[in-house]
Amino acid sequence: MKLEKLLSVLPLYYSDDKLPEIDIEKIEQDSREVTPGTFFVCIDGEVIDGHEFAKAAEEKGASVILSEREVPVSIPVIRVQDTKRALALLADHFYGSPSQKMRMIGVTGTNGKTTVTHLIDQILRAQGEKTGLIGTMYMRIAERTIETKNTTPGSLTLQQVFSDMKKAGVTNVTMEVSSHALVQGRVHGTDYDVAVFTNLSQDHLDYHKTMEAYAHAKSLLFAQLGNKFQKEAPKIAVLNADDPASETMREATAVPVITYGIDHDADFRAKNIEITSKGSTFDLVSKTGTQKVHIQMIGKFSIYNVLAALATSFALQIPEKEAIQTLGEIKGVAGRFELVHAGQDFPVIVDYAHTPDGLLNVLETVDEFAEKRVFVVVGCGGDRDKGKRPKMAKIAVEYATDPIFTSDNPRTEDPRTIISDMEKGVEGKDYVVRVNRREAIQYAIEQAEARDVILIAGKGHEDYQIIGTEKIDFDDRVEARLAIEKKLEL
């Protein structure tokens, strides 16, 4: 793309240089990826300031630099007030606004994002659609899977991925949208058709500081649905009627709202719920009447996720009966209430629950079918919201007979310090501490007897543990299986 054409989407910019008539081969914000013909954008990030790498970008062949201040280079420099905002505009334009050419579904909330996006994706695939998926676990372009670093990538990466998806014939994209991404403008330029809100509970307060700010961050997704009504391709907000924070989302958006819930009136409501250790059943009450729904997933939180997917399916004009049939065939999502079975006579469950509300939901579900003792192996992440640590410990002690506190992803914190923070919420209570996560899992399995239940919470699908600044191989499911096999050999 010609430089002049690329810059045509910027309403205001400055340059002391006469801009050359050149072709821009690609846009980059990482100097290591620069090749001749690159338009290099200096982003002042939380850890690294891209302005410090402008010279390195020039040396690798960059043709033009976009910055917020003067940089020591001899190639043309274009200055703007906010390079993050400018990058979103430029990336969308450079890649041909790909999100406008596919149906885009964004899912936000504290818990349930991964499950809801996967359920919607499965429903769409069952309809014969070629789909894309972006989230915590991975990105998928049709049948090709790519590892991800963030729940929601930056604006440049997103537009590159959307472009690849469009080229691959993808028609529908379902993606998790994190609060960090919304505040940082990573999804600026993404043209969502449906925005889904799951719930709001304490998380990320190290970043957002208050629950009000956290809710506001989530509401940005709904505000970004726009202010225009489109009859042929209507934009819709899907909200959880049982979560008070939905009112914040409703106030933020001008588009029509569809609701789902259990405890309050909603467009898609579950009644007469029955939950067993093998699945859940409920009556779905919607505009089409009442239908019995059977799912293989367990727990009230799973029903909320299914309701969110059904409401979204309606927004996408997918027949309700067909969506219900697809949902009934899904066994679950990796690391979300995932059963690990290696011949033992007690269930072992691995779940991603890493917030107070998430842990409470899972333990309440376990209590509904637990016959004897309930073990929970739980820790809290390092360099993250410290306020939730005592709350999670308190929930573990109140809802499990045998709580075991351990390390999660300690990052640069001492795991013992993290556990000490947890212990402040359970003074005088009984619990066991095993700092080493492998030993904690082994201890729980060694102690368990027939018809007990073990919940290993916090990491779910993750196949690593972050200690210091390094990722080491570690998978709760693998560790549990090995411990079970060792126990059965004795």
Side-chain angles (χ1 to χ4, degrees):
M1 181 180 287
K2 293 292 185 183
L3 176 60
E4 182 181 9
K5 183 179 179 183
L6 177 63
L7 295 176
S8 66
V9 294
L10 294 182
L12 188 64
Y13 61 88
Y14 303 92
S15 179
D16 296 330
D17 306 288
K18 178 175 173 34
L19 298 180
E21 296 181 5
I22 57 171
D23 285 317
I24 298 300
E25 300 295 331
K26 64 175 181 174
I27 303 172
E28 287 292 349
Q29 64 183 77
D30 184 341
S31 62
R32 295 169 297 183
E33 301 297 325
V34 169
T35 54
T38 295
F39 185 101
F40 181 71
V41 181
C42 302
I43 300 292
D44 188 357
E46 293 182 33
V47 179
I48 297 172
D49 185 352
H51 293 80
E52 297 176 3
F53 296 88
K55 188 64 178 177
E58 178 187 22
E59 291 171 353
K60 294 195 71 174
S63 299
V64 183
I65 302 288
L66 184 75
S67 74
E68 295 176 1
R69 59 179 187 265
E70 290 185 8
V71 288
V73 296
S74 57
I75 57 176
V77 176
I78 298 163
R79 293 193 307 279
V80 294
Q81 187 176 36
D82 186 334
T83 52
K84 284 183 182 177
R85 285 183 175 272
L87 177 58
L89 275 167
L90 294 167
D92 174 71
H93 183 50
F94 185 79
Y95 287 102
S97 302
S99 69
Q100 296 180 28
K101 299 165 185 173
M102 301 178 287
R103 281 197 305 193
M104 304 293 302
I105 303 104
V107 181
T108 197
T110 305
N111 302 310
K113 295 187 296 295
T114 298
T115 298
V116 171
T117 52
H118 277 77
L119 296 180
I120 295 168
D121 180 76
Q122 288 298 311
I123 292 169
L124 287 164
R125 287 163 73 89
Q127 293 291 306
E129 301 282 355
K130 187 171 282 192
T131 66
L133 186 70
I134 299 174
T136 305
M137 295 168 62
Y138 49 75
M139 283 192 292
R140 196 185 66 243
I141 301 175
E143 302 305 321
R144 180 163 63 96
T145 300
I146 305 166
E147 184 180 348
T148 55
K149 293 181 180 179
N150 297 314
T151 298
T152 313
S155 61
L156 178 59
T157 301
L158 268 183
Q159 297 305 327
Q160 290 171 333
V161 170
F162 292 156
S163 178
D164 290 344
M165 287 180 172
K166 188 70 183 69
K167 290 174 184 176
V170 167
T171 55
N172 293 261
V173 180
T174 310
M175 61 180 290
E176 299 179 46
V177 187
S178 70
S179 57
H180 289 67
L182 287 160
V183 170
Q184 294 168 7
R186 294 187 221 158
V187 294
H188 285 174
T190 301
D191 187 21
Y192 291 105
D193 296 285
V194 181
V196 184
F197 174 65
T198 59
N199 50 62
L200 195 80
S201 63
Q202 183 173 335
D203 199 14
H204 305 306
L205 294 193
D206 55 315
Y207 182 81
H208 298 293
K209 307 305 180 188
T210 67
M211 288 298 292
E212 290 76 17
Y214 185 28
H216 173 72
K218 295 293 188 186
S219 75
L220 295 176
L221 175 63
F222 299 88
Q224 290 170 19
L225 286 170
N227 202 45
K228 181 171 68 174
F229 297 132
Q230 300 174 154
K231 186 177 180 181
E232 288 73 24
K235 294 178 180 290
I236 295 174
V238 175
L239 305 180
N240 181 350
D242 292 345
D243 194 303
S246 283
E247 193 56 35
T248 301
M249 313 305 145
R250 184 188 293 271
E251 290 172 356
T253 189
V255 307
V257 171
I258 295 174
T259 59
Y260 65 93
I262 297 173
D263 301 326
H264 296 83
D265 287 337
D267 300 313
F268 291 82
R269 187 175 184 183
K271 293 185 175 182
N272 303 320
I273 295 170
E274 296 179 12
I275 297 171
T276 71
S277 60
K278 296 182 179 179
S280 307
T281 302
F282 63 92
D283 290 333
L284 174 67
V285 181
S286 69
K287 65 172 288 186
T288 62
T290 301
Q291 296 189 63
K292 185 69 74 175
V293 177
H294 301 274
I295 58 173
Q296 298 181 55
M297 293 166 281
I298 301 168
K300 191 175 181 181
F301 65 93
S302 294
I303 294 173
Y304 275 112
N305 293 336
V306 164
L307 289 171
L310 285 169
T312 304
S313 298
F314 175 81
L316 298 173
Q317 301 182 338
I318 295 171
E320 190 174 277
K321 287 186 177 180
E322 294 178 20
I324 290 172
Q325 181 179 345
T326 299
L327 290 168
E329 296 168 356
I330 298 172
K331 293 183 177 180
V333 176
R336 272 65 178 173
F337 217 84
E338 183 176 352
L339 288 166
V340 178
H341 190 69
Q344 79 278 16
D345 53 5
F346 51 87
V348 175
I349 300 158
V350 171
D351 193 87
Y352 191 54
H354 60 284
T355 66
D357 188 57
L359 183 62
L360 175 62
N361 287 337
V362 178
L363 281 171
E364 284 183 333
T365 297
V366 168
D367 281 347
E368 290 176 2
F369 63 81
E371 298 179 51
K372 296 173 63 180
R373 292 188 296 173
V374 174
F375 293 80
V376 58
V377 177
V378 62
C380 293
D383 302 332
R384 298 293 187 270
D385 183 1
K386 294 182 179 181
K388 68 182 184 183
R389 294 172 184 175
K391 295 180 180 180
M392 291 185 66
K394 188 171 186 289
I395 290 167
V397 167
E398 288 182 353
Y399 286 84
T401 59
D402 294 76
I404 304 162
F405 298 161
T406 189
S407 176
D408 190 283
N409 289 322
R411 299 183 177 88
T412 63
E413 283 194 74
D414 184 337
R416 292 173 182 81
T417 300
I418 298 170
I419 293 172
S420 178
D421 287 341
M422 295 175 67
E423 291 177 315
K424 292 173 184 175
V426 292
E427 291 179 2
K429 303 295 184 180
D430 293 329
Y431 55 87
V432 170
V433 173
R434 292 289 186 275
V435 177
N436 183 288
R437 192 172 182 90
R438 177 176 291 114
E439 292 176 4
I441 293 170
Q442 290 172 347
Y443 174 82
I445 288 169
E446 287 167 1
Q447 297 298 311
E449 299 175 352
R451 301 196 306 280
D452 289 342
V453 181
I454 296 176
L455 170 66
I456 306 171
K459 291 174 57 58
H461 66 281
E462 293 178 352
D463 58 3
Y464 58 83
Q465 191 173 22
I466 305 174
I467 299 176
T469 57
E470 294 185 17
K471 274 187 178 181
I472 63 170
D473 290 340
F474 194 96
D475 190 318
D476 285 351
R477 297 161 296 184
V478 172
E479 297 298 331
R481 185 174 295 278
L482 290 172
I484 292 166
E485 291 172 350
K486 182 178 179 181
K487 177 171 182 168
L488 295 178
E489 288 174 0
L490 298 177

